[in-house]
Amino acid sequence: MKKLVLATRNRDKVREISALLSDLGVEVLALDAFPQIGPIAEDSGTLEGNALLKAEAVRRATGLPALGDDTGLEVHSLYGEPGVYSSRYSGEHATYAENVSKLLAAMKSFPPRRRAARFRCALVFVAPEIGARTVEGVCRGSILEEPRGTRGFGYDPVFLPKGFGKTLAEMDLSLKNKLSHRGLAMKEMLPILREYFK
Ligand code: IMP
């Protein structure tokens, strides 16, 4: 069976991406399977650039096709913050809960019209024969004042997707994957992967 390496150690992302790739007919490996690969710098300044840095580093180290994901939460009235810094919003090794607390504090007293936000996910596929292919998925919504729900990860408990009465953390994985930034990016990426792995 052909192999694809996900260029992430984030188990939450691995769970979501593996479900999205379940019909592809390839063996999906996560970075955990390659402990010899050290930390990968994510310092390009853009989501697309960071996804490429991760995918390219993993392709080089493993010799296998690799898929990188970089995601940011962009809050309109915070001028796009936390954006590319979403994982370290509250410090270098911040937990999800610490990042959410910082966000809610930064938006305290913002009225509903100032709570618009979007998730943006860049996916980059790197393989020797085709170079790098980049796609993007966007999920629009708003930031609640209090967390709701226990599923998902990261900022999911405070993100209410537009047109839905549930936060991403109140949805099961299959619904989140249908409407999320990552699910929409993967919809663009799947034809590229199918063509490559056929
Ligand atoms: P990175 O893409 O690994 O830089 O992670 C960005 C950060 O954004 C993660 O640490 C999470 O806090 C958050 N994040 C990424 N994807 C999602 C998602 O699907 N839902 C909620 N938060 C997410």
Side-chain angles (χ1 to χ4, degrees):
M1 201 183 233
K2 292 178 180 163
K3 292 179 177 165
L4 168 65
V5 189
L6 305 184
T8 182
R9 288 204 162 78
N10 181 322
R11 296 212 168 131
D12 297 303
K13 282 189 186 178
V14 171
R15 190 182 63 240
E16 291 189 3
I17 296 172
S18 300
L20 287 162
L21 295 178
S22 58
D23 293 338
L24 192 60
V26 302
E27 184 180 349
V28 177
L29 301 167
L31 215 40
D32 282 351
F34 302 92
Q36 71 277 17
I37 302 177
I40 301 166
E42 296 181 31
D43 54 5
S44 79
T46 65
L47 298 176
E48 296 77 8
N50 284 350
L52 175 63
L53 282 176
K54 292 187 258 192
E56 182 53 26
V58 170
R59 188 206 61 76
R60 232 180 299 119
T62 63
L64 294 167
L67 185 66
D69 166 320
D70 206 60
T71 297
L73 174 67
E74 300 172 340
V75 178
H76 198 62
S77 25
L78 295 177
Y79 306 99
E81 273 194 24
V84 74
Y85 302 107
S86 293
S87 64
R88 359 171 198 154
Y89 187 42
S90 165
E92 202 50 49
H93 300 289
T95 63
Y96 291 151
E98 287 165 346
N99 285 336
V100 167
S101 294
K102 177 165 175 184
L103 180 69
L104 293 183
M107 297 180 69
K108 200 168 159 46
S109 77
F110 280 20
R113 67 185 161 74
R114 293 188 61 205
R115 305 192 75 88
R118 65 180 190 178
F119 273 113
R120 208 152 62 78
C121 171
L123 289 179
V124 178
F125 176 58
V126 181
E129 300 84 345
I130 63 167
R133 305 290 294 271
T134 305
V135 299
E136 180 185 284
V138 173
C139 180
R140 293 175 203 286
S142 57
I143 303 299
L144 296 181
E145 289 180 19
E146 295 285 339
R148 267 175 30 196
T150 54
R151 293 170 165 157
F153 67 100
Y155 300 91
D156 281 349
V158 290
F159 188 85
L160 192 68
K162 201 171 179 172
F164 291 83
K166 290 177 177 179
T167 67
L168 289 178
E170 292 175 309
M171 297 179 175
D172 62 26
L173 178 59
S174 69
L175 179 57
K176 179 181 172 188
N177 268 349
K178 277 198 187 85
L179 61 97
S180 78
H181 41 294
R182 188 165 294 105
L184 296 174
M186 197 58 89
K187 211 168 160 186
E188 302 287 313
M189 183 58 88
L190 269 169
I192 297 169
L193 297 178
R194 285 213 178 88
E195 175 66 21
Y196 179 80
F197 287 109
K198 77 173 184 241

